[in-house]
Amino acid sequence: VNCPSGGKPNTVSFEAKATGFVDYDLRRTARLAQVRRGNVPLLAAKFRLSAGTFGLAKQRATPALKLDEDFAWQAEGECVGLVSVEPGLRHIRVPFWLPRQWELALHRRTQPLYLNRGYPLVLDEEVVVSLPTGGKLRVLPALQESQVAPLAWKIDWTQPDGQSVRARLHVELARAELEAAEALQLQNQLRSLLDALGKGVVVKMDR
């Protein structure tokens, strides 16, 4: 994610690699996209951003029938809604991709929950944000995590250099077929995760 100064759009580039059931699911999505000739982000059919809205400029993906390698997707474009402005400050949130199906768990539930066609899921994501020119990091979120099943997660922030920050997200959904009590627990864990993802960096602008 590139955050230029002066209120210009945030340019972004994404790369995703999939194995297991997600590999199969995205290949199927890619085949349908070829038939429909839709010009929308392929990943957005199954995942949504935790922050901002992505405007696609170009994308490419592994051919759906090329089964000898893991499915991969790359895209470039712009993201709006990542940066909020106060006098002399910029608040920057990080766009992670989360399964759209997880939105089902946020509704009040009294019945079991069935996700990912019954398959467990592991997400490993890393986002590097280039800070605005003339900006100095003021607040870097602390490590946040929850190691309790069924949804364990960890968000770790670092500053590799003076011009960028790096956020790493690790999520494990150990079971995708959840009884009502487990579904309620997952709902609470997902809310905590979304609250943690809502925290971003604060940058002080020199001008």
Side-chain angles (χ1 to χ4, degrees):
V1 180
N2 180 38
C3 293
S5 57
K8 297 179 181 179
N10 302 300
T11 57
V12 297
S13 61
F14 292 113
E15 179 179 357
K17 295 182 180 179
T19 60
F21 171 73
V22 180
D23 177 286
Y24 159 78
D25 207 21
L26 289 178
R27 287 180 193 274
R28 180 176 179 274
T29 301
R31 288 198 298 269
L32 292 175
Q34 289 174 353
V35 172
R36 296 171 181 169
R37 298 185 182 277
N39 191 25
V40 296
L42 176 65
L43 207 64
K46 300 296 180 180
F47 295 82
R48 68 171 184 87
L49 287 179
S50 63
T53 301
F54 179 46
L56 177 68
K58 59 181 179 180
Q59 66 179 336
R60 62 182 183 276
T62 303
L65 297 180
K66 195 169 185 179
L67 303 178
D68 59 338
E69 59 183 76
D70 294 335
F71 187 84
W73 171 79
Q74 298 87 33
E76 297 178 13
E78 296 179 349
C79 249
V80 296
L82 298 181
V83 181
S84 57
V85 179
E86 293 183 14
L89 298 175
R90 300 290 187 273
H91 298 259
I92 305 172
R93 294 185 299 158
V94 169
F96 289 109
W97 291 91
L98 300 177
R100 286 189 176 276
Q101 271 202 338
W102 288 7
E103 294 177 353
L104 296 174
L106 293 175
H107 303 294
R108 187 176 298 276
R109 306 193 63 83
T110 58
Q111 298 179 345
L113 183 64
Y114 185 73
L115 298 171
N116 308 328
R117 299 190 185 180
Y119 289 93
L121 180 68
V122 175
L123 298 175
D124 277 303
E125 303 188 34
E126 178 180 289
V127 178
V128 177
V129 180
S130 297
L131 301 180
T133 301
K136 294 183 180 179
L137 184 64
R138 181 171 178 179
V139 176
L140 187 69
L143 168 71
Q144 298 183 79
E145 62 182 328
S146 173
Q147 298 303 321
V148 180
L151 187 69
W153 56 269
K154 177 179 179 180
I155 306 173
D156 183 26
W157 294 80
T158 58
Q159 186 179 18
D161 54 58
Q163 295 301 315
S164 65
V165 296
R166 177 182 288 117
R168 292 188 177 95
L169 172 67
H170 176 79
V171 181
E172 292 187 22
L173 178 63
R175 297 184 303 280
E177 300 181 49
L178 305 174
E179 298 297 331
E182 289 180 310
L184 181 60
Q185 184 179 10
L186 174 68
Q187 183 182 73
N188 293 329
Q189 292 172 328
L190 184 55
R191 285 173 175 162
S192 296
L193 172 60
L194 293 175
D195 286 342
L197 291 175
K199 295 179 172 63
V201 300
V202 179
V203 177
K204 186 178 186 302
M205 302 300 296
D206 291 337
R207 58 180 185 275

